[in-house]
Amino acid sequence: ETGVTQTPRHLVMGMTNKKSLKCEQHLGHNAMYWYKQSAKKPLELMFVYSLEERVENNSVPSRFSPECPNSSHLFLHLHTLQPEDSALYLCASSQDLPGTYTEAFFGQGTRLTVV
Amino acid sequence: GEDVEQSLFLSVREGDSSVINCTYTDSSSTYLYWYKQEPGAGLQLLTYIFSNMDMKQDQRLTVLLNKKDKHLSLRIADTQTGDSAIYFCAENEGNDMRFGAGTRLTVKP
């Protein structure tokens, strides 16, 4: 138990569906992240939020839309996804943005399958 | 390249030493990390090294850093079946924490 909780754990969705992934942390951390984990590829950083403001958007397609309503919650809204978007989506948080020593705490991930 | 690079697979026998290698990209990274991912779980920090160090030892774990070659390694002594997992190398690059693809370590009895 790392203190970062993701729901749902598994999600199967059609290409025309709209769904949302949820991440919650009560560690008092200021930074939150979405990563995509695909087999045999580096962990792909998607979005970074610091104090509820987006600080990074690494050329992620617009069919992925993040939302950070407060410092404890992070969402990833999904719509009109493609089969190649099937992956494990990991949420993480850290006390502050990386710049010096930073430990990232990860959730267990949401296994997304797009059919 | 711009990715943090690791070999994808490593298989060792129980009791042997495991060495997992990583090549990172940003020479200005102040800290480098090793994370462990067990089946069905997220990543957890295993150990880290400050960039002005060459070596760090923590019980069965030894981290070696070669800044000139941007090479990081993790040695696990007396590897146990419970060490079977995916090991990720990571560096901090600006506002990002960048990870490799992970090395899947399999420990055979």
Coordinates of all heavy atoms in Angstrom, one line a residue, chain A residues 1-2 9 33 35 37 40-43 45 48 55-56 58 88 90 97-108, chain B residues 3-4 8-9 30-31 33 35 37 40-45 48 86 88 92-102:
Chain A
E1 N 0.8 -1.2 0.0 CA 0.0 0.0 0.0 C 0.9 1.2 0.0 O 1.7 1.5 0.9 CB -0.9 0.0 1.2 CG -1.8 1.2 1.3 CD -2.8 1.3 0.1 OE1 -3.4 0.3 -0.2 OE2 -2.8 2.4 -0.5
T2 N 0.8 2.0 -1.1 CA 1.7 3.1 -1.2 C 1.1 4.5 -0.9 O 1.7 5.5 -0.8 CB 2.2 3.3 -2.7 OG1 1.1 3.5 -3.5 CG2 2.9 2.0 -3.1
R9 N -9.4 -0.8 -11.4 CA -8.1 -1.6 -11.6 C -8.1 -2.1 -13.1 O -7.0 -2.2 -13.7 CB -8.1 -2.7 -10.7 CG -7.9 -2.3 -9.2 CD -6.5 -1.7 -9.0 NE -5.4 -2.6 -9.5 CZ -4.9 -3.6 -8.8 NH1 -5.4 -4.0 -7.7 NH2 -3.9 -4.3 -9.4
Y33 N 1.2 12.7 -11.3 CA 1.7 12.4 -12.7 C 0.8 11.3 -13.2 O 0.3 10.4 -12.5 CB 3.1 11.8 -12.6 CG 4.1 12.6 -11.8 CD1 4.1 12.4 -10.4 CD2 5.0 13.4 -12.4 CE1 5.1 13.2 -9.7 CE2 6.0 14.1 -11.7 CZ 6.0 14.0 -10.3 OH 6.9 14.7 -9.6
Y35 N 1.4 8.2 -16.1 CA 2.3 7.5 -16.9 C 1.6 6.4 -17.7 O 0.6 5.8 -17.2 CB 3.4 6.8 -16.1 CG 4.5 7.7 -15.5 CD1 4.4 8.3 -14.3 CD2 5.7 7.9 -16.2 CE1 5.4 9.1 -13.8 CE2 6.7 8.7 -15.7 CZ 6.5 9.3 -14.5 OH 7.5 10.1 -14.0
Q37 N 2.3 2.7 -19.3 CA 3.2 1.6 -19.3 C 2.8 0.6 -20.4 O 1.8 -0.1 -20.2 CB 3.3 0.9 -17.9 CG 4.4 -0.2 -17.9 CD 4.5 -0.9 -16.5 OE1 3.7 -0.7 -15.6 NE2 5.5 -1.7 -16.4
K40 N 7.7 -3.5 -23.2 CA 9.0 -3.3 -23.9 C 9.3 -1.9 -24.3 O 10.2 -1.6 -25.1 CB 9.1 -4.2 -25.1 CG 8.9 -5.7 -24.8 CD 9.1 -6.6 -26.1 CE 8.8 -8.0 -25.8 NZ 8.9 -8.9 -26.9
K41 N 8.5 -1.0 -23.7 CA 8.8 0.4 -24.0 C 9.1 1.2 -22.7 O 8.6 0.8 -21.6 CB 7.5 1.1 -24.6 CG 7.2 0.6 -26.0 CD 6.1 1.4 -26.6 CE 5.7 1.0 -28.0 NZ 4.5 1.7 -28.5
P42 N 9.8 2.3 -22.7 CA 10.0 3.0 -21.5 C 8.7 3.5 -20.9 O 7.8 3.8 -21.7 CB 10.9 4.2 -22.0 CG 11.5 3.7 -23.2 CD 10.6 2.8 -23.9
L43 N 8.7 3.7 -19.7 CA 7.5 4.3 -19.0 C 7.3 5.6 -19.6 O 8.2 6.4 -19.7 CB 7.7 4.4 -17.5 CG 6.6 4.1 -16.6 CD1 6.1 2.7 -16.8 CD2 7.1 4.2 -15.1
L45 N 5.9 9.3 -19.7 CA 5.3 10.3 -18.9 C 4.3 11.1 -19.8 O 4.6 11.6 -20.9 CB 6.4 11.3 -18.4 CG 5.9 12.5 -17.6 CD1 5.2 12.1 -16.3 CD2 7.0 13.5 -17.3
V48 N 2.0 16.1 -16.0 CA 2.5 16.4 -14.7 C 1.7 17.6 -14.2 O 1.6 18.6 -14.9 CB 4.0 16.8 -14.7 CG1 4.5 17.1 -13.3 CG2 4.9 15.7 -15.4
V55 N 2.0 21.2 -15.6 CA 3.3 21.8 -15.9 C 4.0 21.1 -17.1 O 4.9 21.6 -17.6 CB 4.3 21.8 -14.7 CG1 3.7 22.7 -13.6 CG2 4.4 20.4 -14.2
E56 N 3.4 20.0 -17.5 CA 4.0 19.2 -18.6 C 2.9 18.6 -19.4 O 1.9 18.1 -18.8 CB 4.9 18.1 -18.2 CG 6.3 18.5 -17.6 CD 7.3 18.9 -18.6 OE1 7.1 18.5 -19.8 OE2 8.3 19.5 -18.3
N58 N 3.4 16.1 -22.6 CA 4.4 15.6 -23.5 C 3.8 15.0 -24.8 O 3.8 13.9 -25.1 CB 5.1 14.5 -22.8 CG 6.0 15.0 -21.7 OD1 6.9 15.8 -21.9 ND2 5.7 14.6 -20.4
L88 N -1.2 -0.2 -19.4 CA -1.4 0.0 -18.0 C -1.1 1.5 -17.7 O -0.1 2.0 -18.1 CB -0.4 -0.8 -17.1 CG -0.5 -0.7 -15.6 CD1 -1.8 -1.4 -15.1 CD2 0.7 -1.4 -14.9
L90 N -0.5 4.4 -15.1 CA -0.1 4.5 -13.7 C -0.1 6.0 -13.3 O 0.3 6.9 -14.0 CB 1.4 4.0 -13.6 CG 1.7 2.5 -13.7 CD1 3.1 2.3 -13.9 CD2 1.1 1.8 -12.5
L97 N 7.9 18.7 -7.3 CA 8.4 18.3 -8.6 C 9.8 17.8 -8.5 O 10.6 18.3 -7.7 CB 8.3 19.5 -9.6 CG 7.0 19.9 -10.0 CD1 7.1 21.2 -10.8 CD2 6.3 18.9 -10.8
P98 N 10.2 16.9 -9.4 CA 11.6 16.4 -9.4 C 12.5 17.6 -9.7 O 12.2 18.5 -10.5 CB 11.7 15.4 -10.5 CG 10.3 15.0 -10.7 CD 9.4 16.2 -10.4
G99 N 13.6 17.7 -9.0 CA 14.6 18.8 -9.2 C 15.7 18.5 -8.3 O 16.9 18.8 -8.6
T100 N 15.4 17.9 -7.2 CA 16.3 17.4 -6.3 C 15.9 16.0 -5.9 O 15.1 15.4 -6.7 CB 16.5 18.3 -5.1 OG1 17.5 17.7 -4.2 CG2 15.2 18.5 -4.3
Y101 N 16.3 15.4 -4.8 CA 15.8 14.1 -4.4 C 14.3 14.1 -4.4 O 13.7 14.9 -3.7 CB 16.4 13.6 -3.1 CG 15.8 12.3 -2.7 CD1 16.2 11.1 -3.3 CD2 14.8 12.2 -1.7 CE1 15.7 9.9 -2.9 CE2 14.3 11.0 -1.3 CZ 14.7 9.9 -1.9 OH 14.2 8.7 -1.6
T102 N 13.8 13.1 -5.1 CA 12.3 13.0 -5.1 C 11.9 11.5 -5.1 O 12.4 10.7 -6.0 CB 11.7 13.6 -6.4 OG1 12.1 15.0 -6.5 CG2 10.2 13.5 -6.5
E103 N 11.1 11.1 -4.3 CA 10.6 9.7 -4.3 C 9.2 9.8 -4.9 O 8.3 10.5 -4.3 CB 10.5 9.1 -2.9 CG 10.0 7.6 -3.0 CD 10.0 6.9 -1.6 OE1 10.5 7.5 -0.7 OE2 9.5 5.8 -1.6
A104 N 8.9 9.1 -5.9 CA 7.6 9.0 -6.5 C 6.9 7.8 -5.9 O 7.4 6.7 -5.8 CB 7.7 8.9 -8.0
F105 N 5.6 8.0 -5.6 CA 4.8 6.9 -5.0 C 3.7 6.6 -6.1 O 3.0 7.5 -6.6 CB 4.1 7.4 -3.8 CG 5.0 7.5 -2.6 CD1 5.8 8.7 -2.5 CD2 5.1 6.6 -1.6 CE1 6.7 8.8 -1.5 CE2 6.0 6.8 -0.5 CZ 6.8 7.9 -0.5
F106 N 3.7 5.3 -6.5 CA 2.8 4.9 -7.6 C 1.6 4.2 -7.1 O 1.6 3.4 -6.1 CB 3.6 4.0 -8.5 CG 4.5 4.7 -9.4 CD1 5.8 5.1 -9.0 CD2 4.2 4.9 -10.7 CE1 6.7 5.7 -9.8 CE2 5.1 5.6 -11.6 CZ 6.3 6.0 -11.1
G107 N 0.5 4.3 -7.8 CA -0.7 3.5 -7.6 C -0.4 2.2 -8.3 O 0.6 1.9 -9.0
Q108 N -1.4 1.3 -8.2 CA -1.3 -0.1 -8.8 C -1.6 -0.1 -10.3 O -1.4 -1.0 -11.0 CB -2.2 -1.0 -8.1 CG -1.8 -1.3 -6.6 CD -2.8 -2.2 -5.9 OE1 -3.9 -1.8 -5.7 NE2 -2.3 -3.4 -5.5
Chain B
D3 N 16.1 8.1 -24.7 CA 15.4 7.3 -23.7 C 16.4 6.8 -22.7 O 17.6 6.6 -23.0 CB 14.8 6.1 -24.4 CG 13.6 6.5 -25.2 OD1 13.0 7.5 -25.0 OD2 13.2 5.7 -26.1
V4 N 15.9 6.5 -21.5 CA 16.7 5.7 -20.6 C 16.6 4.3 -21.0 O 15.6 3.8 -21.2 CB 16.1 5.9 -19.2 CG1 16.8 5.1 -18.2 CG2 16.1 7.4 -18.7
L8 N 15.9 -5.8 -21.5 CA 14.5 -6.2 -21.0 C 14.4 -7.4 -20.1 O 13.5 -7.5 -19.3 CB 13.7 -6.4 -22.3 CG 13.4 -5.2 -23.2 CD1 12.6 -5.6 -24.4 CD2 12.7 -4.1 -22.4
F9 N 15.4 -8.3 -20.2 CA 15.2 -9.5 -19.5 C 16.6 -9.9 -18.8 O 17.6 -9.7 -19.4 CB 14.8 -10.7 -20.4 CG 13.5 -10.4 -21.1 CD1 13.4 -10.0 -22.4 CD2 12.3 -10.6 -20.4 CE1 12.2 -9.7 -23.0 CE2 11.1 -10.4 -21.0 CZ 11.0 -9.9 -22.3
T30 N 20.6 15.0 -10.9 CA 21.3 15.1 -9.6 C 21.1 13.8 -8.8 O 21.9 13.4 -8.0 CB 20.7 16.2 -8.7 OG1 19.3 16.2 -8.7 CG2 21.2 17.6 -9.2
Y31 N 20.0 13.1 -9.1 CA 19.8 11.8 -8.5 C 19.4 10.8 -9.5 O 18.7 11.1 -10.5 CB 18.7 11.9 -7.4 CG 19.1 12.6 -6.1 CD1 19.0 14.0 -6.0 CD2 19.6 11.9 -5.1 CE1 19.4 14.6 -4.9 CE2 20.0 12.5 -3.9 CZ 19.9 13.9 -3.8 OH 20.2 14.6 -2.7
Y33 N 17.8 6.7 -9.8 CA 16.9 5.8 -8.9 C 16.8 4.4 -9.5 O 16.8 4.2 -10.7 CB 15.5 6.4 -8.8 CG 15.5 7.9 -8.4 CD1 15.6 8.9 -9.3 CD2 15.2 8.2 -7.1 CE1 15.5 10.2 -9.0 CE2 15.1 9.5 -6.7 CZ 15.3 10.5 -7.6 OH 15.2 11.9 -7.3
Y35 N 13.7 1.6 -9.2 CA 12.4 1.2 -8.7 C 12.1 -0.2 -9.0 O 12.7 -0.8 -10.0 CB 11.3 2.1 -9.4 CG 11.1 3.5 -8.9 CD1 12.0 4.5 -9.2 CD2 10.1 3.8 -8.0 CE1 11.9 5.8 -8.7 CE2 9.9 5.0 -7.5 CZ 10.8 6.0 -7.8 OH 10.6 7.3 -7.3
Q37 N 9.0 -3.2 -9.5 CA 7.6 -3.4 -9.7 C 7.3 -4.9 -9.6 O 7.7 -5.7 -10.4 CB 7.1 -2.9 -11.1 CG 5.6 -3.0 -11.3 CD 5.2 -2.5 -12.7 OE1 6.0 -2.7 -13.7 NE2 4.0 -1.9 -12.8
G40 N 1.3 -7.1 -10.5 CA 0.0 -6.5 -10.1 C 0.2 -5.3 -9.3 O -0.8 -4.8 -8.7
A41 N 1.4 -4.7 -9.2 CA 1.6 -3.6 -8.3 C 2.2 -2.4 -9.1 O 2.7 -2.6 -10.2 CB 2.5 -4.0 -7.1
G42 N 2.2 -1.2 -8.5 CA 2.9 -0.1 -9.1 C 4.3 -0.2 -8.7 O 4.8 -1.1 -8.1
L43 N 5.1 0.8 -9.1 CA 6.5 0.9 -8.9 C 6.8 1.4 -7.5 O 6.0 2.2 -6.9 CB 7.2 1.8 -9.9 CG 7.4 1.4 -11.3 CD1 6.1 1.2 -12.1 CD2 8.4 2.3 -12.0
Q44 N 7.8 0.8 -6.8 CA 8.2 1.3 -5.5 C 9.7 1.6 -5.5 O 10.5 0.8 -6.1 CB 7.9 0.3 -4.4 CG 6.4 0.1 -4.1 CD 6.1 -0.6 -2.9 OE1 6.5 -1.8 -2.8 NE2 5.6 0.0 -1.9
L45 N 10.1 2.7 -4.9 CA 11.5 3.1 -4.8 C 12.2 2.0 -4.1 O 11.9 1.6 -3.0 CB 11.6 4.4 -4.2 CG 13.1 4.9 -4.1 CD1 13.6 5.2 -5.5 CD2 13.1 6.2 -3.2
Y48 N 18.5 4.7 -4.4 CA 18.9 5.8 -5.2 C 20.3 6.2 -5.0 O 20.9 5.7 -4.0 CB 18.0 7.0 -4.9 CG 18.2 7.6 -3.5 CD1 19.1 8.6 -3.3 CD2 17.6 7.1 -2.4 CE1 19.3 9.1 -2.0 CE2 17.8 7.6 -1.1 CZ 18.7 8.6 -1.0 OH 18.9 9.1 0.3
I86 N 10.1 -6.6 -12.0 CA 10.7 -5.7 -13.0 C 11.4 -4.5 -12.3 O 10.8 -3.9 -11.4 CB 9.6 -5.2 -14.0 CG1 8.8 -6.3 -14.6 CG2 10.2 -4.3 -15.1 CD1 7.6 -5.9 -15.4
F88 N 13.2 -0.8 -12.7 CA 13.3 0.3 -13.5 C 14.3 1.3 -13.1 O 14.4 1.6 -11.9 CB 11.9 1.1 -13.5 CG 10.8 0.4 -14.2 CD1 10.0 -0.5 -13.5 CD2 10.5 0.7 -15.5 CE1 9.0 -1.2 -14.1 CE2 9.4 0.1 -16.1 CZ 8.6 -0.9 -15.4
N92 N 15.9 12.1 -12.8 CA 15.1 13.4 -12.9 C 15.7 14.3 -13.9 O 16.9 14.5 -14.0 CB 15.0 14.0 -11.5 CG 16.3 14.4 -10.9 OD1 17.3 13.6 -10.9 ND2 16.4 15.6 -10.4
E93 N 14.8 14.8 -14.8 CA 15.2 15.6 -15.9 C 14.2 16.8 -15.9 O 13.1 16.7 -16.4 CB 15.1 14.8 -17.2 CG 15.6 15.5 -18.4 CD 15.5 14.6 -19.7 OE1 15.7 13.4 -19.6 OE2 15.2 15.2 -20.7
G94 N 14.7 17.9 -15.4 CA 13.8 19.1 -15.2 C 12.6 18.7 -14.3 O 12.8 18.2 -13.2
N95 N 11.4 18.9 -14.8 CA 10.2 18.6 -14.1 C 9.8 17.1 -14.2 O 8.7 16.7 -13.7 CB 9.0 19.5 -14.5 CG 9.2 20.9 -14.0 OD1 9.8 21.1 -13.0 ND2 8.7 21.9 -14.7
D96 N 10.5 16.4 -15.0 CA 10.1 15.0 -15.3 C 10.9 14.0 -14.5 O 12.1 14.2 -14.2 CB 10.4 14.7 -16.8 CG 9.5 15.6 -17.7 OD1 8.6 16.3 -17.2 OD2 9.8 15.6 -18.9
M97 N 10.3 12.9 -14.2 CA 11.0 11.7 -13.8 C 10.9 10.7 -14.9 O 9.8 10.3 -15.3 CB 10.3 11.2 -12.5 CG 11.0 10.0 -11.9 SD 12.4 10.5 -10.9 CE 11.5 10.9 -9.4
R98 N 12.1 10.4 -15.5 CA 12.1 9.6 -16.7 C 12.5 8.2 -16.4 O 13.6 8.0 -15.7 CB 12.9 10.2 -17.8 CG 12.4 11.6 -18.3 CD 12.6 11.8 -19.7 NE 11.9 13.0 -20.1 CZ 10.7 13.0 -20.8 NH1 10.1 11.9 -21.1 NH2 10.2 14.2 -21.1
F99 N 11.8 7.2 -16.9 CA 12.1 5.8 -16.6 C 12.5 5.1 -17.8 O 12.1 5.4 -18.9 CB 10.8 5.2 -16.0 CG 10.4 5.7 -14.6 CD1 9.7 6.9 -14.5 CD2 10.7 4.9 -13.5 CE1 9.4 7.3 -13.2 CE2 10.3 5.4 -12.3 CZ 9.7 6.6 -12.1
G100 N 13.2 4.0 -17.6 CA 13.5 3.1 -18.7 C 12.3 2.1 -18.9 O 11.3 2.3 -18.3
A101 N 12.5 1.1 -19.7 CA 11.4 0.2 -20.1 C 11.3 -0.9 -19.0 O 10.4 -1.7 -19.0 CB 11.7 -0.5 -21.4
G102 N 12.3 -1.0 -18.1 CA 12.3 -2.0 -17.1 C 13.0 -3.3 -17.5 O 12.9 -3.7 -18.7

